[in-house]
Amino acid sequence: MAVLDRFSLEGKVALVTGASHGIGFAIASAYAQAGATVIFNGTSQERIDKGIAAYKELGLEVHGYVCDVTKEDQVNELVAKIEKEIGVIDILVNNAGIIKRTPMCEMTADEFRQVIDVDLNAPFIMSKAVIPSMIKKGHGKIINVCSMMSELGRETVSAYAAAKGGLKMLTKNIASEYGEFNIQCNGIGPGYIATSQTAPLREVQPDGSKHPFDQFITGRTPAARWGDPEDLQAPAVFLASDASDFVNGHILYVDGGILAYFGKQPK
Ligand code: NAP
Ligand code: GCO
């Protein structure tokens, strides 16, 4: 097979969770362009409908369903519906996620649990739902959307960092437990990406200046810019394709170099 053909997703069925917009939308769009049949889910029919329209604007036909990834019954119903009406899921991207930015000692246990539920428990639930059919089919790809916070902490994101750190190890454990069935489970670790999730960190200040966090991130990023969701597309296609069949348990950081960089030194 010619090397570039190994990056094709022709004939594959891909489920990307939380992909009505943001990073999930970019990844799902790339999978559709690479030839996959794409399904996505979210929590509201309104945003699903808007998402489908946005895919259509790109000339992409995708399937969208309301499904709360934290609810195991909804997840199992969705996977059964997809397998019946479309086909066995070859590629699962656990992208759906939330963040709460609150100093730890001011965060309630319920708020902490809510973040863990979406960002860590749900990837477990989703992966458990698709692995049996992947084993029967003889192959599968699971890609978990990790984070800088899979490696680093910072103020106010204790729940999110705990979840994303756990997601890194869940990735490695799925790789360890199911690699023998030709299932590869890897993580993709976006740096700081311009989406609705990080919009509060990029708000222009009343005096027209950049948000301090915005300045902080561009100073910590060798690429000296925030990432765009599109920066994740080709790496995500690689992890979903035959090209990565011997890559397993790896977290591919797509961060403009943040994790490698100490930060801009004083002049
Ligand atoms: P976003 O714009 O806030 O999108 C989050 C998505 O998750 C939405 O589509 C949302 O769907 C979905 N979602 C949330 N809870 C859900 C649930 N219970 N069931 C189903 N879907 C649910 O965020 P984003 O920036 O694109 O982030 C996507 C992923 O990348 C997240 O896992 C995030 O932690 C991770 N990440 C983001 C960055 C960044 O800088 N932006 C960097 C590293 C990692 P609805 O809108 O329908 O609720
Ligand atoms: C934050 C940001 C980050 C990014 C991302 C970085 O508040 O620090 O939201 O957590 O979302 O996870 O990789």
Side-chain angles (χ1 to χ4, degrees):
M1 179 188 285
V3 66
L4 287 181
D5 292 343
R6 301 198 65 191
F7 289 82
S8 170
L9 302 183
E10 286 293 343
K12 299 287 175 63
V13 175
L15 170 59
V16 183
T17 66
S20 54
H21 51 87
I23 287 172
F25 179 88
I27 291 175
S29 302
Y31 286 5
Q33 289 169 47
T37 299
V38 169
I39 305 105
F40 77 98
N41 71 299
T43 59
S44 93
Q45 191 59 52
E46 182 191 358
R47 285 192 291 272
I48 294 285
D49 294 342
K50 281 183 182 169
I52 289 173
Y55 285 106
K56 272 203 173 75
E57 279 177 26
L58 298 177
L60 303 172
E61 291 295 327
V62 302
H63 307 265
Y65 299 99
V66 175
C67 172
D68 180 340
V69 292
T70 67
K71 303 286 188 289
E72 194 163 20
D73 56 347
Q74 291 185 32
V75 168
N76 290 335
E77 278 168 33
L78 175 64
V79 171
K81 180 182 177 69
I82 292 168
E83 291 186 354
K84 183 174 174 219
E85 297 178 5
I86 301 172
V88 167
I89 294 163
D90 301 290
I91 303 158
L92 167 65
V93 180
N94 286 307
N95 167 77
I98 62 172
I99 191 168
K100 290 185 188 298
R101 301 183 181 96
T102 307
M104 195 184 92
C105 290
E106 296 169 28
M107 182 180 279
T108 66
D110 188 49
E111 286 170 330
F112 188 92
R113 286 190 198 97
Q114 283 172 37
V115 176
I116 298 290
D117 216 13
V118 181
D119 295 6
L120 180 57
N121 292 343
F124 163 78
I125 291 168
M126 288 300 315
S127 301
K128 210 173 85 155
V130 302
I131 283 172
S133 294
M134 287 180 172
I135 291 173
K136 286 191 193 113
K137 194 167 183 183
H139 69 246
K141 298 280 186 179
I142 297 174
I143 294 117
N144 292 322
V145 182
C146 296
S147 161
M148 295 293 93
M149 274 61 222
S150 297
E151 302 293 345
L152 302 169
R154 83 172 186 83
E155 301 83 352
T156 76
V157 295
S158 58
Y160 185 83
K164 293 297 188 181
L167 186 57
K168 174 175 78 170
M169 286 317 301
L170 177 63
T171 300
K172 294 174 184 278
N173 216 76
I174 292 172
S176 306
E177 197 164 355
Y178 295 100
E180 68 175 285
F181 302 104
N182 192 28
I183 293 171
Q184 291 83 47
C185 182
N186 292 291
I188 189 166
Y192 278 81
I193 310 296
T195 69
S196 54
Q197 193 239 49
T198 54
L201 306 174
R202 290 178 285 108
E203 273 171 4
V204 174
Q205 302 302 283
D207 65 4
S209 65
K210 281 190 170 188
H211 190 294
F213 198 91
D214 185 345
Q215 299 173 54
F216 170 66
I217 287 303
T218 46
R220 280 295 307 271
T221 308
R225 67 171 175 87
W226 285 70
D228 295 314
E230 290 69 28
D231 288 316
L232 298 159
Q233 290 185 311
V237 168
F238 164 66
L239 290 176
S241 71
D242 296 348
S244 61
D245 279 357
F246 204 54
V247 179
N248 210 3
H250 181 71
I251 314 298
L252 178 58
Y253 286 103
V254 184
D255 67 353
I258 290 183
L259 285 178
Y261 189 34
F262 195 66
K264 193 167 287 303
Q265 59 192 23
K267 295 275 189 238

